[in-house]
Amino acid sequence: LFGRPTTNVKIGIVGLPNVGKSTFFNLLCNMQVEAQNFPFCTIDPNQSRVAVPDERFDFLVDAWKPKSVVPAYLQVTDIAGLVKGAAEGQGLGNAFLSHIKACDAIFHCVRAFDDADIVHVEGDLDPIRDLQIISEELILKDIEHMEKTVVELEKVVARIDKTKKPDFELAQRVLQQLKDGKEIRHGEWKAAEIEIINEWYLITTKPVVYLVNMSQNDYFRKKNKWLPKIAEFVNAKGKEPIIPFSVAFEQKLTEVSPEEAEAMCKTNNVTTIMPKIIKTGYHALQLVHFFTAGADEVRAWTVRKHSKAPQGAGAIHTDFERGFICAEVYKFDDLKELGSEMAVKNAGKYRQEGKTYVICDGDIIFFKFNVTAAPKKK
């Protein structure tokens, strides 16, 4: 997998100025940051976290009625608008690109609505051009980084360590793909190569979720003339999630009473898209979660996709991983169908799993462990 091998990851909201990023961030995290009608209103990135909606978690909370409730969270960063020439420093571009580099995935917010009162930094509405501007700026920043990396590795191979030749050759291939206008995440790479590429912290390795901000009317109609062109642009690069939404509509829902919001949704046959956006961003970060459930606490524990049982135990406490014995696992769907943990056991669907078990999203787990000695010194 591309990216850092940790669950302490975050997704950044990226786009041109005045496409609705900060308003979306306000709605997402229910906090007020400046959202004004001029470029570079957001300079320092605003950071927050938002609970990941999960009907399974809600079911467990309702079933157990615990004293404590802890959902999974998505960490989100609102990054200032990029402009053409950002990779060369335009519009505080270098600072903003470093903020993107510090994130692990991207919400790419693109404007697909006309509004004479909200200025467009490029003068007119053209989402495809806007997508290309952001894409090109991120690629240019990676080219700048890889050109330096290639020069450095060439010197290392020539003067110090010839075993680094495969790294040098890989760096040349990566640089060439970037110069061909292709993001690194869309290339064909072996697992060992991905491990090396991860050490270079390239922006174009980060997964992207495209958010198409439409007018409220277009959202109600479920139509927008730009959507087919945007889908064509994204799919030509490599299939990644595209979510049409309307910041204007989502904001309206927060300004009226719950009853009025429900009536508006029913009348127009729509619903808020925010839960889908949050869950899509969470999974784009290669995250899943398992549950621990009981009368004291129902909690969602976040782990990286493909994590094994001992790593899941370590998410709770390092002692659990160090002294791991086994994981007692059952599936949420079995619990929901059969009605209780005892019924799951009686049906033979409560299993003991060892160190090689790969945790599945939504597993309910009880870990057994035993720590009798201090950890060995390395």
Side-chain angles (χ1 to χ4, degrees):
L1 296 174
F2 279 122
R4 297 182 294 138
T6 174
T7 57
N8 185 26
V9 289
K10 56 190 175 183
I11 190 163
I13 306 170
V14 174
L16 293 179
N18 296 343
V19 298
K21 297 186 308 300
S22 292
T23 307
F24 165 62
F25 178 78
N26 289 342
L27 294 165
L28 199 63
C29 301
N30 196 27
M31 59 180 285
Q32 293 300 310
V33 299
E34 286 185 87
Q36 301 298 327
N37 177 20
F38 54 88
F40 319 127
C41 175
T42 310
I43 295 176
D44 294 323
N46 293 280
Q47 300 191 33
S48 189
R49 67 176 190 168
V50 56
V52 178
D54 191 329
E55 292 177 357
R56 301 167 303 182
F57 180 78
D58 297 339
F59 180 93
L60 292 173
V61 169
D62 189 54
W64 285 99
K65 297 179 173 50
K67 298 171 187 173
S68 172
V69 171
V70 184
Y73 287 99
L74 174 67
Q75 294 190 68
V76 186
T77 301
D78 178 27
I79 297 168
L82 290 177
V83 294
K84 196 167 187 175
E88 297 169 0
Q90 292 295 317
L92 304 176
N94 283 327
F96 299 163
L97 285 162
S98 71
H99 295 155
I100 298 172
K101 206 160 190 174
C103 293
D104 302 274
I106 293 170
F107 278 139
H108 187 159
C109 193
V110 62
R111 175 175 168 176
F113 65 90
D114 276 311
D115 189 331
D117 293 331
I118 301 177
V119 296
H120 194 295
V121 72
E122 288 294 316
D124 62 341
L125 180 67
D126 185 346
I128 304 304
R129 175 205 58 214
D130 297 351
L131 286 166
Q132 286 172 330
I133 287 173
I134 298 295
S135 176
E136 287 168 7
E137 292 303 324
L138 301 186
I139 286 172
L140 284 170
K141 194 64 181 175
D142 277 355
I143 287 174
E144 178 188 311
H145 180 79
M146 287 310 300
E147 284 178 337
K148 292 176 184 175
T149 301
V150 166
V151 170
E152 289 168 6
L153 282 170
E154 189 174 25
K155 290 177 183 175
V156 168
V157 171
R159 303 174 189 174
I160 304 168
D161 187 356
K162 294 196 184 305
T163 65
K164 289 290 183 182
K165 189 177 180 183
D167 292 25
F168 170 62
E169 291 171 347
L170 176 61
Q172 287 180 308
R173 283 169 48 214
V174 167
L175 178 58
Q176 188 56 56
Q177 176 161 321
L178 290 165
K179 287 183 174 179
D180 290 341
K182 297 176 184 176
E183 288 91 345
I184 299 307
R185 67 184 179 278
H186 296 143
E188 296 290 330
W189 311 103
K190 295 175 184 175
E193 291 174 334
I194 289 174
E195 283 189 29
I196 296 167
I197 294 170
N198 278 338
E199 294 174 5
W200 297 329
Y201 299 104
L202 300 176
I203 296 173
T204 61
T205 61
K206 302 178 191 301
V208 176
V209 178
Y210 293 89
L211 304 179
V212 183
N213 185 11
M214 309 187 296
S215 68
Q216 179 174 281
N217 190 44
D218 280 356
Y219 187 70
F220 288 168
R221 295 187 310 123
K222 300 180 176 63
K223 287 183 181 179
N224 179 282
K225 68 178 183 179
W226 292 104
L227 275 178
K229 296 174 184 177
I230 292 170
E232 185 181 346
F233 175 88
V234 172
N235 292 333
K237 288 174 165 289
K239 291 187 176 180
E240 289 177 304
I242 303 169
I243 303 178
F245 79 124
S246 171
V247 164
F249 167 67
E250 297 292 347
Q251 188 168 28
K252 185 75 173 175
L253 289 182
T254 67
E255 294 169 350
V256 298
S257 68
E259 294 76 19
E260 288 174 306
E262 186 179 351
M264 186 190 302
C265 290
K266 193 172 181 180
T267 301
N268 295 287
N269 192 29
V270 293
T271 186
T272 176
I273 202 75
M274 301 301 266
K276 181 179 179 180
I277 291 174
I278 295 166
K279 286 190 273 191
T280 305
Y282 182 80
H283 292 302
L285 286 164
Q286 307 293 341
L287 301 176
V288 296
H289 53 265
F290 65 90
F291 303 112
T292 53
D296 286 335
E297 182 180 73
V298 169
R299 183 164 184 154
W301 299 91
T302 297
V303 292
R304 196 161 160 81
K305 195 176 178 181
H306 306 314
S307 292
K308 293 182 179 177
Q311 294 169 290
I316 298 174
H317 197 285
T318 52
D319 282 352
F320 282 32
E321 182 172 9
R322 186 158 57 88
F324 178 87
I325 297 173
C326 70
E328 297 184 347
V329 184
Y330 60 102
K331 301 295 181 186
F332 171 81
D333 288 343
D334 292 334
L335 175 68
K336 189 173 182 181
E337 179 188 343
L338 298 169
S340 71
E341 187 178 292
M342 184 57 69
V344 172
K345 288 181 178 179
N346 292 338
K349 295 187 174 182
Y350 190 100
R351 310 181 319 277
Q352 281 199 345
E353 300 286 359
K355 292 182 178 181
T356 60
Y357 177 71
V358 176
I359 293 171
C360 299
D361 188 53
D363 277 351
I364 302 169
I365 305 180
F366 175 77
F367 291 104
K368 287 188 174 180
F369 72 103
N370 182 30
V371 178
T372 55
K376 293 179 182 177
K377 292 182 179 180
K378 293 183 180 178

